[in-house]
Amino acid sequence: MTDVTSAPRELRKGANVAIRDLGGELGGLTVFLDSRGHDGETIDADVSVLLLDASGKVRSSADFVFYNQPIALNGAVHLRDKLVPEPDSDEAAAGWSSDVVTLELDDVPQEIERIVVAASLDASTARTFGDAAGVRLRLQRSSDAADLLVFDIDDATTESALVFGEFYRRDEDWKIRAVGRGYQAGLAALVTEHGVDVSEEADEPEGPEAPAVDETPDEAPAPPGDAEQAPAPPMPAEVDDDTGTSSPATPAKRSVSVRRPTRAPRLPVDWNASIPADDGNDWQAARLFPVAGIGSGEEQERRATSALLAVMSMVREFGAALTGRCGAPRGTITTYIEVPFGQDEEAYRPDGVIQVRRGTREWTALVEVKTSTGRLNVEQIEKYVEIARARGYDAVITISNELAGGDADHPVAVDRRKLRKVSLHHLSWDQIRAEAVLAARHRGVSDATQAKVLEEFIRYMSHARSGMGGLGDMGPSWVKLRDAVKSKTARASDKATGEISARFDELIQHLGHHMTGLLGVEVQSLAPREAPDHASRRQQLADSGLMFGRLKVPGAVDVLVVGADLRADKASAAITIGAPRGDTRPLTRVNWLLRQLPDEAKDSIRIEAHMAGPRAVSTAALLGKARQDPSCLVPEEQREIKAFTISLEVPLGNKRAAGTGTLIGSVKGATTTFYADVVQHLRPWVAKVGSPSRAE
């Protein structure tokens, strides 16, 4: 949770307050729905947002924001990833977890009069909010993460869906009301009451069934104690007997499914398509950002800076995504290149300046850019921090192909004492490219011309001569460490061991950004965060030549484990999935898994079945053999199978750079191929209603 210097206002059930009275900027708000279980257990709640017009109903299914549809109004309402506290924090020990919604109220159209924020529990768990040890709503100002308001809900009992609060217009102003109203019948009952047409059909046409959601609305009284009750929704418009059409007040709505997603996002079908062959002519298409004529590294850097800053100011969705990661408010972006500054009687010229204006507030950051193999310089960065502090600027942003390895927040170790009034942020070209692809091809850009500009910029970034290609090699210590591991002379204390271990962490981040662009969801790299973990990983690399990293894909059945074995010359990718529970036979469980793997999946994929019990017992077979004889994975004495681990190994390249025949290319290829062949097809087991023991 966020520490603040002043206590937030506490709101009681039914009370309301104007956003302006909280000191919050109109629009830039972050809503946290916090929950925790007893004895450190987490409550896995799902947030939803309903955008209501004067009738108290949604205009269409597009006004329903939830896990199957996380964005509305071109990003003005955005359901973010679940926020889990650091493992060693007090919040983690207490079992707190937070669901996050960002609101840009300035961008909400006038016809939307109420924004209802709610949460629900998965119907298959049979849990209610009464099982929670704590449930609350928190409101933050997005610009500086200051807590503005808190509303604790302490009277939940048997409800599986809960309206935490609502934002509503009053006299051209926005207010927030603490609601705390529950629904025993779950999410479907809540959204049906507000005009969402809920589909009774599952999104997935095959595989294990998810429990059906009860759609019977649950009666509950309006929240007490509010002198400004929201108007009661009018009766639906009647159908005209002469024309057979209804009034415009009740537009047709597409049915949506509120079933919780159980399938990982899919790769695009052309994810491994090669570049088309030359058509034979020597005509070159005119490009908005040409690579022709790039000479020196200085010219490459200047072009990259100008192109990036120009696109940030031109394409609002892209610029807001990048500046938002650096703490800027959402507003009008203006950019400059090579702005001269005087400091300590010397002249300095940062590569760029970004200014964001929102109302009377102005946020300013200095920008330092490196391309290709250019490395950031600590003395230069610290000097820019001094310039920013002297002028009252907010931040310094560095951009390069470097990624922060290990547990660092920045590729360069800057004296933290210098950052008391100025924040320091790093954006890698990998991260910038992923944000551009997300905006252009997944989230969408509202203006068609701006969308074309962003596509041109993506094309420019992807060209080898742009210098913006991302992680390019395993570093100068790669050959030395590789040879030492093979000859068994590597030691954990060697400088090269530490450098390559940290570089592999950077490779995992690179993979995360790569998969983010392909899948359209933010794939998180889970690098180790503690010194003992780093030490053990260096020891493992020296002793056995093994390196591992993890990727968390929203919707996937588990974390994806990516590895490299320098002694066996193998790159690998693996994932674990829980087996069906209950009294199902071991062979039935094996067949349940095999049915999920497509015919295109390689026969060389390895399946390991883990048995229940105190001893680590397992069986293993290649997919080709298991398809012919599923019983080869059945344990002796018909022991219970508790989980399966599926893995793929490919030859590991030994070259330092990226591309074919390299470690980076091998690990990247293994990860993407394994995801395409296995991960995106896997679904967790869910017991059928009335038959929890069957897995068919």
Side-chain angles (χ1 to χ4, degrees):
M1 310 303 165
T2 304
D3 292 325
V4 293
T5 55
S6 59
R9 179 177 296 192
E10 295 185 9
L11 212 60
R12 293 181 298 174
K13 185 173 182 177
N16 63 82
V17 64
I19 298 299
R20 197 176 301 279
D21 292 343
L22 295 172
E25 296 179 7
L26 181 59
L29 300 174
T30 304
V31 184
F32 293 85
L33 274 63
D34 303 329
S35 58
R36 67 182 177 93
H38 295 278
D39 300 323
E41 183 184 11
T42 58
I43 298 293
D44 190 13
D46 297 308
V47 170
S48 54
V49 181
L50 293 153
L51 309 174
L52 311 179
D53 60 16
S55 70
K57 307 287 185 180
V58 297
R59 300 169 300 174
S60 71
S61 60
D63 289 341
F64 176 32
V65 178
F66 67 125
Y67 39 71
N68 285 338
Q69 187 171 269
I71 299 176
L73 304 179
N74 293 321
V77 181
H78 193 163
L79 175 57
R80 305 289 180 171
D81 291 338
K82 185 179 290 289
L83 181 64
V84 179
E86 292 294 329
D88 295 333
S89 65
D90 294 338
E91 289 80 5
W96 282 108
S97 65
S98 303
D99 289 273
V100 185
V101 178
T102 55
L103 299 176
E104 296 292 338
L105 296 180
D106 283 347
D107 298 333
V108 176
Q110 285 293 324
E111 56 265 30
I112 299 298
E113 295 196 355
R114 291 166 58 203
I115 301 175
V116 174
V117 183
S120 59
L121 300 174
D122 187 1
S124 64
T125 65
R127 305 192 69 178
T128 69
F129 281 104
D131 298 324
V135 180
R136 69 188 179 196
L137 177 147
R138 285 187 299 126
L139 187 65
Q140 279 189 356
R141 187 168 50 221
S142 297
S143 59
D144 59 2
D147 279 327
L148 304 176
L149 177 148
V150 62
F151 166 43
D152 286 289
I153 302 175
D154 54 11
D155 58 351
T157 54
T158 59
E159 302 89 348
S160 60
L162 197 62
V163 175
F164 281 58
E166 63 179 11
F167 296 83
Y168 62 98
R169 297 183 190 270
R170 184 70 68 205
D171 299 329
E172 301 302 320
D173 213 346
W174 281 101
K175 305 188 74 173
I176 181 173
R177 176 186 290 113
V179 179
R181 178 185 180 186
Y183 295 75
Q184 291 183 348
L187 176 62
L190 186 158
V191 301
T192 300
E193 180 179 303
H194 292 93
V196 177
D197 187 4
V198 176
S199 169
E200 297 183 4
E201 299 296 326
D203 286 336
E204 309 297 346
E206 59 185 7
E209 290 185 6
V213 180
D214 188 346
E215 298 176 19
T216 305
D218 187 41
E219 294 297 330
D226 192 348
E228 296 179 356
Q229 295 290 337
M235 294 295 290
E238 296 182 355
V239 176
D240 191 308
D241 293 332
D242 295 327
T243 65
T245 59
S246 61
S247 70
T250 56
K253 300 180 178 67
R254 177 177 59 86
S255 296
V256 297
S257 171
V258 295
R259 294 180 186 272
R260 198 169 184 173
T262 57
R263 193 184 289 277
R266 300 250 173 177
L267 285 171
V269 294
D270 60 346
W271 68 268
N272 60 346
S274 58
I275 299 175
D278 194 346
D279 60 6
N281 68 55
D282 58 357
W283 291 26
Q284 295 187 30
R287 294 294 185 183
L288 187 61
F289 306 104
V291 294
I294 293 180
S296 65
E298 183 177 346
E299 182 181 0
Q300 182 188 71
E301 183 179 296
R302 195 159 39 235
R303 285 203 195 187
T305 304
S306 183
L308 170 64
L309 297 185
V311 175
M312 287 178 64
S313 63
M314 192 178 306
V315 184
R316 179 181 181 185
E317 291 88 346
F318 175 59
L322 292 183
T323 56
R325 288 186 178 274
C326 300
R330 189 181 180 94
T332 303
I333 299 175
T334 308
T335 56
Y336 309 87
I337 63 169
E338 297 187 338
V339 178
F341 291 94
Q343 182 76 7
D344 299 331
E345 300 183 354
E346 294 187 25
Y348 295 92
R349 193 180 292 268
D351 291 317
V353 174
I354 300 174
Q355 289 184 333
V356 182
R357 290 182 176 86
R358 184 183 185 91
T360 59
R361 187 190 171 193
E362 182 176 275
W363 181 93
T364 305
L366 304 183
V367 181
E368 172 63 14
V369 176
K370 299 293 182 184
T371 55
S372 295
T373 58
R375 312 292 289 183
L376 297 168
N377 180 279
V378 63
E379 289 82 8
Q380 186 180 41
I381 295 172
E382 289 184 345
K383 181 57 67 175
Y384 290 161
V385 169
E386 292 177 8
I387 293 173
R389 184 172 62 245
R391 285 159 177 76
Y393 295 162
D394 301 271
V396 171
I397 301 172
T398 60
I399 299 170
S400 73
N401 284 313
E402 300 166 84
L403 296 108
D407 56 359
D409 296 324
H410 196 278
V412 173
V414 175
D415 187 347
R416 309 304 297 182
R417 294 173 296 181
K418 298 179 180 291
L419 303 176
R420 291 173 181 170
K421 295 184 178 180
V422 177
S423 59
L424 177 64
H425 304 274
H426 180 69
L427 298 173
S428 69
W429 287 118
D430 277 330
Q431 184 177 10
I432 292 171
R433 182 168 48 256
E435 286 287 357
V437 173
L438 280 176
R441 301 171 187 173
H442 299 287
R443 295 171 181 163
V445 175
S446 56
D447 183 272
T449 301
Q450 293 180 17
K452 291 183 179 180
V453 169
L454 191 55
E455 284 288 355
E456 274 287 287
F457 181 60
I458 293 171
R459 183 208 62 82
Y460 177 70
M461 290 187 71
S462 302
H463 198 284
R465 295 172 62 185
S466 70
M468 305 149 79
L471 184 68
D473 61 56
M474 287 300 293
S477 300
W478 165 242
V479 174
K480 178 181 178 181
L481 186 276
R482 180 198 66 193
D483 294 344
V485 166
K486 289 183 178 295
S487 64
K488 300 183 180 181
T489 59
R491 295 293 178 266
S493 58
D494 294 344
K495 180 181 178 182
T497 305
E499 289 180 353
I500 297 305
S501 180
R503 184 57 67 100
F504 193 80
D505 289 342
E506 293 184 34
L507 173 56
I508 299 302
Q509 293 182 54
H510 172 78
L511 281 174
H513 296 312
H514 171 68
M515 296 298 290
T516 293
L518 287 176
L519 298 174
V521 297
E522 293 198 28
V523 178
Q524 183 181 4
S525 58
L526 304 178
R529 302 293 296 179
E530 299 178 357
D533 195 3
H534 287 291
S536 65
R537 284 158 55 86
R538 289 194 297 270
Q539 191 69 55
Q540 184 182 47
L541 174 57
D543 292 345
S544 58
L546 297 175
M547 295 184 289
F548 291 97
R550 300 177 299 154
L551 295 173
K552 183 178 180 181
V553 182
V557 295
D558 198 8
V559 169
L560 180 61
V561 179
V562 180
D565 187 335
L566 303 191
R567 292 213 177 129
D569 287 327
K570 297 289 185 181
S572 64
I575 197 166
T576 298
I577 180 173
R581 299 184 296 274
D583 58 0
T584 52
R585 296 173 300 165
L587 182 59
T588 302
R589 301 183 185 202
V590 172
N591 286 327
W592 168 82
L593 175 67
L594 294 177
R595 284 197 301 270
Q596 298 195 58
L597 301 178
D599 295 338
E600 297 78 17
K602 296 176 175 57
D603 288 343
S604 58
I605 288 173
R606 183 175 183 268
I607 300 176
E608 184 175 6
H610 304 279
M611 311 308 154
R615 293 184 300 147
V617 179
S618 65
T619 59
L622 297 183
L623 178 58
K625 181 180 179 181
R627 281 170 169 160
Q628 296 174 1
D629 179 19
S631 64
C632 68
L633 286 168
V634 174
E636 296 180 1
E637 301 176 357
Q638 299 290 305
R639 292 184 59 177
E640 179 186 359
I641 298 176
K642 67 177 182 180
F644 298 97
T645 296
I646 308 108
S647 59
L648 171 68
E649 289 186 342
V650 300
L652 180 68
N654 283 319
K655 297 178 182 177
R656 166 183 166 178
T660 305
T662 68
L663 180 142
I664 294 175
S666 302
V667 173
K668 197 171 183 178
T671 303
T672 316
T673 300
F674 183 69
Y675 190 94
D677 287 352
V678 175
V679 178
Q680 67 181 6
H681 301 285
L682 293 179
R683 300 171 63 190
W685 175 78
V686 179
K688 289 187 178 181
V689 177
S691 181
S693 65
R694 295 189 59 81
E696 293 92 351

